[in-house]
Amino acid sequence: GEILKLRLKKFYKQPEVTIFVEDFVSQKVLVIGNVKTPGTYALMGEDRLLDVLARAGWVLTPAHEGSDQVVLLRDGARETLSLLDMLNRAKLDQNRLLKRGDIIYVIAEGEKGMVRVQGEVHRPGGVLIEREPMWVTDALTLAGGATDHSDPSRSFVIRADGSQIPFDLAQILDGKRAPNTAPKLRDGDLMYIPRKVSLRVFVLGMVRMPGEYEIPEGSHALAAIARAGYHVPGAVLDSTKVVRVSPTGQ
């Protein structure tokens, strides 16, 4: 953030090229479903379930008696947790410590005849099931289509019971697979189109355009230098450094 930018100012005019990678950018969890602001959230230290739900604007409707409102998806397994137990019955053992890659699905109630579409679409929200069967392409069209920042190949559907079904929407959109190869959508389903995975880096020192850039995760350091316009005369390329920093700038 701003703290990190201030700390990096002293590196702008050094003769070598330094690439700072904000390490916490890849330490993310996904919050979807019945929350005010669904999306990915960076883990800031030892974040727990309630911490991240608060950053997502909390649930849109309160938990009802007997309902398991939250499903935690981790490494192919799923666990149902109750907000009611955590908040009203002080069962804070359910306030799980989160790990990179966790998916937190807040189950919505009373959405008969509707499917939610979230993620990188132009009009995220609920769409009516206008016909049976309803294909993922139908839902995508009603949600305005995918954005330029989307990665349809990593799409998935989450059923009302919290089960997750991944599918490759990119191949369907490219005509390589038929829509009926993806899961048929049902009442209460949520279809999610992820954002392209990227890293936020600061390229400083002897480059033409030092500053902050976003590059695909897994890119070589040269990709970051290229985004910054390459090096300028006098740069000591043998001293190029890649430094990973925490959210506090350490």
Side-chain angles (χ1 to χ4, degrees), residues 151-174:
D151 182 1
S153 66
R154 297 187 297 116
S155 302
F156 58 87
V157 167
I158 293 187
R159 300 293 193 199
D161 64 358
S163 56
Q164 181 181 7
I165 309 172
F167 66 96
D168 191 337
L169 179 59
Q171 292 208 347
I172 295 173
L173 296 177
D174 290 342

Side-chain angles (χ1 to χ4, degrees), residues 115-119 121 123-127 134 136 139-140 142-143 185 189-193:
V115 169
R116 284 189 184 221
V117 184
Q118 293 183 346
V121 294
R123 293 193 301 272
V127 298
M134 185 177 194
V136 294
L140 181 64
L142 292 171
L185 298 177
D189 281 353
L190 183 146
M191 184 173 82
Y192 190 81
I193 314 298

Side-chain angles (χ1 to χ4, degrees), residues 5-249:
K5 291 179 183 178
L6 290 173
R7 292 187 178 186
L8 297 182
K9 280 186 177 180
K10 63 182 179 181
F11 293 96
Y12 271 82
K13 295 184 179 180
Q14 289 191 358
E16 65 267 13
V17 177
T18 306
I19 303 170
F20 287 84
V21 182
E22 288 197 270
D23 208 19
F24 74 99
V25 173
S26 61
Q27 304 298 314
K28 287 185 175 181
V29 296
L30 176 64
V31 184
I32 54 178
N34 194 39
V35 292
K36 183 177 181 181
T37 314
T40 53
Y41 290 87
L43 293 176
M44 311 289 282
E46 295 189 347
D47 274 341
R48 292 184 176 273
L49 176 66
L50 294 180
D51 299 321
V52 174
L53 284 181
R55 297 219 298 274
W58 205 241
V59 296
L60 294 178
T61 55
H64 300 285
E65 181 70 35
S67 64
D68 287 318
Q69 285 277 312
V70 180
V71 177
L72 177 62
L73 298 163
R74 174 181 294 170
D75 299 329
R78 74 179 187 268
E79 178 183 19
T80 54
L81 304 165
S82 172
L83 283 176
L84 195 65
D85 284 346
M86 281 183 265
L87 298 175
N88 295 356
R89 297 171 184 155
K91 294 185 178 180
L92 294 181
D93 59 312
Q94 294 192 44
N95 189 21
R96 297 287 190 257
L97 186 67
L98 298 177
K99 295 169 51 180
R100 173 184 178 176
D102 283 351
I103 298 176
I104 302 163
Y105 174 46
V106 181
I107 298 174
E109 296 190 358
E111 292 191 326
K112 291 295 183 183
M114 298 210 42
V115 169
R116 284 189 184 221
V117 184
Q118 293 183 346
E120 288 298 322
V121 294
H122 290 289
R123 293 193 301 272
V127 298
L128 290 173
I129 298 177
E130 297 178 342
R131 63 178 182 179
E132 295 284 353
M134 185 177 194
W135 305 114
V136 294
T137 46
D138 299 328
L140 181 64
T141 299
L142 292 171
T147 72
D148 293 339
H149 300 293
S150 66
D151 182 1
S153 66
R154 297 187 297 116
S155 302
F156 58 87
V157 167
I158 293 187
R159 300 293 193 199
D161 64 358
S163 56
Q164 181 181 7
I165 309 172
F167 66 96
D168 191 337
L169 179 59
Q171 292 208 347
I172 295 173
L173 296 177
D174 290 342
K176 297 178 180 178
R177 289 187 180 181
N180 62 7
T181 60
K184 299 176 184 178
L185 298 177
R186 311 172 186 165
D187 282 355
D189 281 353
L190 183 146
M191 184 173 82
Y192 190 81
I193 314 298
R195 187 179 180 87
K196 293 176 182 176
V197 178
S198 61
L199 294 174
R200 189 154 57 118
V201 300
F202 294 82
V203 186
L204 307 177
M206 300 293 283
V207 292
R208 298 185 186 280
M209 297 178 292
E212 178 183 350
Y213 296 94
E214 189 171 288
I215 61 174
E217 188 174 56
S219 298
H220 194 277
L222 289 175
I225 295 174
R227 290 292 308 277
Y230 296 101
H231 64 283
V232 297
V236 183
L237 293 181
D238 289 344
S239 299
T240 299
K241 295 181 294 188
V242 177
V243 180
R244 295 187 181 275
V245 292
S246 72
T248 59

